[in-house]
């Protein structure tokens, strides 16, 4: 594995392609996070609010995206993490997680991060400022 | 009603970065890295202990802001930001509170901005976060917000 701090502007971390989103994924996240909003787990409740079916918690997707950086906690940590939720994530969607280096500084690295679905549509996008240890 | 709550804060609530919960949370986002869950790995890491994933503060109790009632449906999570001074350590005590930062309306929709922060027992900030919640036009009308 290439060291994070060897990366140059425009280079990417290795993409991660998730397994198709399952109901169990969302039930587990509801339990772990305490977010039991039924639009994430119960079809009828989702439909009542006008959705075609249950949708993933935005925070589930945001949590997944951060794992691109997890192998690098010896080099630094995520100091700032900003996400805009752009589109809904449905059951069986296949998400690809991406991070591209925007800027490398003495003290930190800036990344553009996003997740796209199987149709290439961005579902979340944002940025990560990764503070690097001396 | 929502405008009136701008600037209001909850009392601080004590939370623990609980080992079992960190493990469960890491698993739920498909991120069971040993830095989060393996005690030996944590001990040998530069932190000397396991840490929590950056979106873990979702699980904390931030207390209630007096008089603030958000509708229970028609809310859309628009944006989320975290800022960290350092990662959260497994087992540590965090004192959390929430503050209503802003409420404004644009194109019929309401935008509600919450700040949520966590401090160590000495009152030093460890993380702060900002959440933008969009209240849809339909719900805003029904609730007379």
């Amino acid at each position: 594995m290439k060291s994070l701090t060897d990366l140059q502007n425009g280079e990417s971390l290795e993409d991660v392609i998730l397994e198709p989103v399952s109901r169990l994924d969302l039930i587990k996240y509801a339990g772990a996070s305490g977010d039991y909003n039924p639009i994430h787990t119960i079809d009828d409740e989702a439909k009542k609010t006008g959705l075609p079916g249950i949708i993933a918690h935005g925070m589930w997707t945001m949590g997944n995206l951060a794992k691109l950086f997890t192998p690098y906690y010896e080099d630094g940590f995520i100091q700032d993490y900003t996400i805009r939720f752009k589109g809904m994530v449905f059951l069986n969607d296949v998400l690809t997680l991406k991070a591209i280096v925007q800027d490398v500084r003495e003290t930190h690295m800036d990344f553009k991060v996003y997740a796209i679905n199987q149709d290439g549509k961005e579902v979340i996008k944002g940025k990560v400022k990764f503070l690097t240890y001396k | 009603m929502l405008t009136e709550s701008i600037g209001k804060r909850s009392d601080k609530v004590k939370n623990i970065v609980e080992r079992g919960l960190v493990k469960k949370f890491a698993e739920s986002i498909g991120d069971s890295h040993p830095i989060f869950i393996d005690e030996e790995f944590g001990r040998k890491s530069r932190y000397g202990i396991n840490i929590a994933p950056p979106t873990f503060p979702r699980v904390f109790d931030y207390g209630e802001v007096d008089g603030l009632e958000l509708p229970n449906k028609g809310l859309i999570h628009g944006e989320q930001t975290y800022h960290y001074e350092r990662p959260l350590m497994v087992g540590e005590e965090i004192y959390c509170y929430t503050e209503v930062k802003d409420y404004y309306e644009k194109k019929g929709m309401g935008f509600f901005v919450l700040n949520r922060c966590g401090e160590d027992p000495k009152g030093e900030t460890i993380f702060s976060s900002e959440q933008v919640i969009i209240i849809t036009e339909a719900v805003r009308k029904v609730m007379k917000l």
Side-chain angles (χ1 to χ4, degrees), chain A residues 70 73 79-81 83 133, chain B residues 31 47 78-80 82-84:
Chain A
T70 305
Y73 277 109
Q79 179 158 57
D80 289 291
Y81 185 19
I83 282 296
Y133 297 124
Chain B
D31 199 8
Y47 306 97
E79 288 174 40
Q80 178 71 43
Y82 286 104
H83 172 78
Y84 278 93

Side-chain angles (χ1 to χ4, degrees), chain A:
Chain A
M1 188 173 70
K2 198 171 179 179
S3 163
L4 188 77
T5 45
D6 290 341
L7 290 174
Q8 306 294 316
N9 290 356
E11 289 192 293
S12 302
L13 294 182
E14 206 166 316
D15 289 356
V16 168
I17 302 173
L18 302 181
E19 293 289 314
V21 176
S22 74
R23 188 177 297 270
L24 194 56
D25 288 336
L26 306 183
I27 292 172
K28 279 186 185 166
Y29 188 78
S33 68
D35 182 348
Y36 291 107
N37 188 330
I39 63 167
H40 303 304
T41 48
I42 302 171
D43 297 307
D44 285 352
E45 293 294 325
K47 284 177 185 152
K48 262 189 223 165
T49 66
L51 295 167
I54 60 170
I55 57 168
H57 307 72
M59 291 299 294
W60 176 81
T61 311
M62 185 177 183
N64 270 275
L65 186 52
K67 71 189 174 200
L68 295 177
F69 297 87
T70 305
Y72 305 108
Y73 277 109
E74 286 299 315
D75 303 324
F77 67 93
I78 293 177
Q79 179 158 57
D80 289 291
Y81 185 19
T82 300
I83 282 296
R84 178 168 285 195
F85 300 99
K86 305 256 298 173
M88 290 183 277
V89 175
F90 297 99
L91 283 185
N92 301 316
D93 278 1
V94 176
L95 302 185
T96 302
L97 312 175
K98 292 172 168 287
I100 303 168
V101 181
Q102 299 290 97
D103 197 10
V104 180
R105 298 288 180 92
E106 185 99 344
T107 53
H108 66 271
M109 299 171 76
D110 290 318
F111 291 84
K112 182 175 133 186
V113 293
Y114 52 107
I116 55 172
N117 67 14
Q118 64 281 0
D119 301 321
K121 186 184 180 315
E122 279 179 358
V123 290
I124 63 172
K125 71 179 272 191
K127 46 196 182 178
V128 162
K129 177 180 170 187
F130 193 87
L131 181 143
T132 45
Y133 297 124
K134 297 278 182 291

Side-chain angles (χ1 to χ4, degrees), chain B residues 1-3 5 64-76 98 100 102-103 110-114 116 131-136 139 143 145:
Chain B
M1 178 196 86
L2 290 175
T3 316
S5 56
E64 303 290 329
V65 174
D66 274 347
L68 174 64
E69 273 182 64
L70 279 180
N72 58 10
K73 62 176 184 178
L75 302 182
I76 298 165
T98 188
V100 179
D102 205 0
Y103 176 73
F111 291 80
F112 194 67
V113 188
L114 282 178
R116 290 183 153 171
Q131 187 176 14
V132 180
I133 299 164
I134 302 167
I135 305 173
T136 57
V139 170
M143 303 282 299
L145 296 173

